[in-house]
Amino acid sequence: MFFPPPTSNPKMAAVSGSLMWFRKGLRLHDNPALEYAAKGSNYVYPVFVIDPHYMEPDPTASSPGSSRAGLNRIRFLLESLVDLDLSLKKRGSRLLVLKGEPSEVLIRCLKEWDVKKLCFEYDTDPYYQVLDSKVKHYAAAAEIEVFSPVSHTLFNPVDIIQKNGGRPPLSYQSFLELAGIPPWASSPLPTTPSLLPPVGNVGSCEIIGVPTVKELGFRDIEQEEMTPFRGGESEALNRLREAINDKEWVANFEKPKGDPSAFLKPATTVLSPYLKFGCLSSRYFYECLQDVYKNFRKHTHPPVSLVGQLLWRDFFYTVASGTPNFDHMKGNRIAKQIPWNDDDQLLAAWREARTGYPWIDAIMVQLHKWGWIHHLARHCVACFLTRGDLFVHWEKGRDVFERLLIDSDWAINNGNWLWLSCSSFFYQYHRIYSPTSFGKKYDPEGNYVRHFLPILKDIPKEYIYEPWKAPLSIQTKAKCIIGRDYPQPSQLSFVSHDSASKECKRKLAEAYALNQKLNGQVRDEDLKNLRRKFEQEEDQLSNRRKQKQKLE
């Protein structure tokens, strides 16, 4: 179903060797690129390149890891590579790990090895698009066949965009109507190979084993709690089996329902990091879900069902691949132009779990420790940073998530931040997550907060979400004086959530009006003028508060 028609080129007919370039798609099941690499080949070179762009240690970063990836995600990737190597070895092959700028490394390998086919999974990420273009250009000049199938998503984003007249659909519903049933769904998926051709002569190319975190140059981090999620295809398939076995849960799954405070047993599949790295095929997941639904007369449907979640993923991939500057506000035709705060102190307080709101801070601690948080928890902290309380630019929050999440995915992460900041897709900016009552609704005892913020473990449940309201005697007994041992919100230079959210709504209303007035053609000067107006109003408000305090 994915293979091009047989070539009549005699040079292509006598294929001797293939290079399989793993990037995402770190699996053997449903891997059409690997299947095609093995087909008719005497030997296959399975290659993964350690890319300094993502893996170079950065001692100046705000937490352990590289400038672009936290240590949790790097460790998850390395575990996935170890698992992939073991699976390849069971089938008579092995993973060849090299280091360097990937396109340069690949071209060097293609020059060195007797390769007639280059195979890799298609990727919509702009970074990989640039790399792929360089490698394809060399392969074409060297008369090396390139096979790059779409298998990371259910649909080819290019097909959806073409169906929509050359532009991506900007609503989930319109995406569903255009997409229909995946074109591959009527054919069997590629199976896991039982045997693979051996690896050929690697010549002078410097092959290493899968490195450890320490071998990559990351210092040994002693952390009380680390992510409980292990990387790899084996783990992905085990987690999938566990989820699918509870057929009623699958049939009745309904997002956004679910408990964001459940951490010992998360209230969702936690398959997103495995989908991100391609340890689990989204197409195989889709197929398994359809098998479950067949046995139920009634089950949930998109957008809330589990299949609906896979389709959300495809929706964001499609919009991202068809929208220039999707990862920025400026120059992004679908993003509202808003004069966000550029306040690094507020950003740092949010990032470092120092807002004074236990629900928000506990979520950020879990993000740092686990590299994963429930989707509703993501909604809460993203709303708090942007349109709910702090009015900080969504790109700043996006960067923190992009670096720390083990399931960080370029298209989905940017799409979600555009959505949650009410910059695109969703525009009901008056609907705000409360940093106190939302967590209390799910966890009135405050167990989630106590686990991730042990400094508050002895604060009574009546005050666990608003500890600044606890009498000093209770704070003393709990050995946690608010303002000393744990911050209070006023230290963030805003008075309360109620007043901050009111200000955010007012600012967004004015920004929306400006966008409408200028028909989306908002210039830098327009944003500067509006920001200046906001700053003057904030100064006036601050002066009025000071006067009021003096009178009191």
Side-chain angles (χ1 to χ4, degrees):
M1 58 184 167
F2 291 105
F3 306 142
T7 178
S8 57
N9 187 334
K11 287 187 178 181
M12 296 293 185
V15 170
S16 55
S18 302
L19 192 156
M20 171 64 201
W21 181 18
F22 285 98
R23 300 97 66 86
K24 296 173 187 171
L26 303 180
R27 65 180 185 272
L28 300 190
H29 75 278
D30 181 31
N31 195 326
L34 177 63
E35 184 178 60
Y36 192 68
K39 192 177 182 181
S41 297
N42 297 327
Y43 46 87
V44 172
Y45 297 92
V47 166
F48 184 88
V49 183
I50 299 288
D51 185 353
H53 181 70
Y54 289 106
M55 308 285 268
E56 191 77 36
D58 182 2
T60 67
S62 57
S63 63
S66 72
S67 61
R68 303 187 69 87
L71 206 51
N72 273 321
R73 186 155 89 251
I74 290 168
R75 190 179 280 111
F76 190 96
L77 169 59
L78 296 178
E79 289 166 353
S80 301
L81 295 177
V82 167
D83 185 70
L84 179 62
D85 186 38
L86 287 171
S87 296
L88 288 168
K89 282 173 178 171
K90 286 175 187 172
R91 290 157 178 83
S93 183
R94 66 187 174 108
L95 187 63
L96 306 174
V97 181
L98 299 97
K99 285 177 79 173
E101 197 279 335
S103 62
E104 291 173 6
V105 170
L106 256 290
I107 289 168
R108 194 161 65 243
C109 292
L110 292 172
K111 285 177 180 175
E112 181 86 16
W113 303 337
D114 181 21
V115 167
K116 296 293 185 287
K117 286 193 292 189
L118 169 63
C119 304
F120 55 89
E121 186 177 65
Y122 177 79
D123 198 324
T124 57
D125 187 319
Y127 176 72
Y128 285 103
Q129 288 277 302
V130 172
L131 292 181
D132 294 356
S133 179
K134 290 179 189 172
V135 172
K136 283 178 182 175
H137 182 76
Y138 172 80
E143 295 189 300
I144 295 170
E145 180 188 0
V146 175
F147 181 64
S148 181
V150 174
S151 54
H152 190 62
T153 49
L154 303 178
F155 298 90
N156 186 340
V158 173
D159 293 343
I160 304 292
I161 291 167
Q162 281 177 350
K163 278 187 187 178
N164 200 44
R167 283 200 165 194
L170 296 181
S171 77
Y172 182 76
Q173 196 54 46
S174 59
F175 168 80
L176 289 186
E177 288 166 9
L178 285 162
I181 304 297
W184 50 266
S186 57
S187 310
L189 292 173
T191 55
T192 304
S194 55
L195 198 65
L196 286 166
V199 175
N201 183 356
V202 298
S204 62
C205 288
E206 192 179 342
I207 309 298
I208 60 172
V210 178
T212 63
V213 163
K214 226 171 181 178
E215 286 167 346
L216 283 175
F218 296 99
R219 57 193 172 87
D220 203 12
I221 305 299
E222 288 190 18
Q223 192 171 304
E224 290 175 15
E225 191 174 356
M226 299 177 76
T227 183
F229 310 117
R230 304 269 75 84
E233 179 183 17
S234 303
E235 182 67 22
L237 294 173
N238 284 338
R239 290 193 76 87
L240 176 63
R241 272 190 290 271
E242 282 177 22
I244 294 297
N245 280 343
D246 192 345
K247 292 180 169 43
E248 284 203 14
W249 181 84
V250 170
N252 296 317
F253 180 90
E254 192 173 345
K255 191 178 176 181
K257 290 179 182 176
D259 183 355
S261 69
F263 61 97
L264 294 174
K265 190 180 188 303
T268 185
T269 63
V270 195
L271 286 171
S272 54
Y274 303 94
L275 290 167
K276 178 261 184 316
F277 282 106
C279 301
L280 173 64
S281 156
S282 62
R283 306 186 318 168
Y284 178 59
F285 189 12
Y286 177 95
E287 197 178 63
C288 291
L289 292 172
Q290 296 297 344
D291 286 343
V292 171
Y293 294 152
K294 282 175 195 170
N295 299 312
F296 285 84
R297 205 174 57 169
K298 278 188 174 183
H299 60 80
T300 54
H301 294 275
V304 298
S305 63
L306 276 172
V307 158
Q309 305 321 297
L310 287 174
L311 291 165
W312 274 112
R313 181 175 179 266
D314 265 65
F315 168 64
F316 280 133
Y317 264 84
T318 301
V319 181
S321 67
T323 306
N325 301 307
F326 184 69
D327 55 346
H328 294 288
M329 178 181 81
K330 195 175 176 182
N332 181 347
R333 67 179 180 83
I334 70 166
K336 297 279 188 194
Q337 302 300 299
I338 296 166
W340 300 104
N341 288 341
D342 190 19
D343 191 322
D344 286 339
Q345 284 188 320
L346 291 181
L347 175 69
W350 175 82
R351 184 183 62 229
E352 294 160 17
R354 294 187 286 104
T355 70
Y357 283 96
W359 173 243
I360 299 297
D361 292 342
I363 292 169
M364 295 306 291
V365 171
Q366 187 188 16
L367 173 62
H368 277 274
K369 288 188 171 182
W370 287 26
W372 181 89
I373 46 180
H374 187 274
H375 58 268
L376 285 177
R378 300 180 195 208
H379 292 190
C380 286
V381 293
C383 178
F384 184 89
L385 180 71
T386 57
R387 64 186 173 86
D389 291 77
L390 304 186
F391 211 67
V392 170
H393 203 310
W394 63 265
E395 289 178 20
K396 305 263 189 181
R398 181 274 318 277
D399 290 345
V400 172
F401 270 31
E402 186 177 286
R403 188 172 174 276
L404 294 180
L405 284 169
I406 55 174
D407 61 6
S408 172
D409 186 303
W410 185 82
I412 299 166
N413 191 32
N414 280 289
N416 278 325
W417 277 93
L418 281 161
W419 186 298
L420 292 165
S421 65
C422 282
S423 293
S424 193
F425 306 114
F426 176 77
Y427 303 108
Q428 296 177 44
Y429 58 81
H430 57 279
R431 291 174 60 184
I432 287 172
Y433 292 90
S434 165
T436 54
S437 61
F438 191 82
K440 193 185 294 184
K441 177 173 74 170
Y442 292 96
D443 182 20
E445 298 296 319
N447 293 327
Y448 176 83
V449 168
R450 294 178 209 285
H451 179 84
F452 289 106
L453 294 175
I455 189 68
L456 298 174
K457 67 183 172 62
D458 294 323
I459 294 283
K461 68 177 183 179
E462 294 81 7
Y463 302 107
I464 192 69
Y465 290 99
E466 298 172 290
W468 62 89
K469 290 185 176 179
L472 188 58
S473 59
I474 288 177
Q475 294 181 33
T476 305
K477 190 179 176 186
K479 296 177 183 171
C480 180
I481 304 299
I482 305 306
R484 185 191 72 190
D485 302 312
Y486 178 73
Q488 56 184 353
S490 60
Q491 290 171 294
L492 272 185
S493 75
F494 70 90
V495 178
S496 68
H497 165 66
D498 288 342
S499 60
S501 61
K502 213 172 279 181
E503 282 298 295
C504 285
K505 288 174 193 174
R506 186 181 62 76
K507 288 175 181 176
L508 278 169
E510 290 199 42
Y512 272 37
L514 180 68
N515 278 261
Q516 187 174 16
K517 180 185 171 186
L518 299 175
N519 199 25
Q521 304 300 309
V522 182
R523 301 166 305 161
D524 287 348
E525 193 59 36
D526 299 318
L527 286 181
K528 280 179 190 170
N529 289 337
L530 190 53
R531 186 179 290 113
R532 201 175 297 122
K533 179 177 180 289
F534 290 164
E535 286 167 358
Q536 287 168 355
E537 288 167 348
E538 281 165 16
D539 289 342
Q540 288 167 6
L541 189 61
S542 177
N543 289 334
R544 282 200 296 271
R545 281 179 190 142
K546 284 173 187 171
Q547 295 252 324
K548 192 179 175 186
Q549 284 167 356
K550 278 180 189 175
L551 291 171
E552 288 171 352

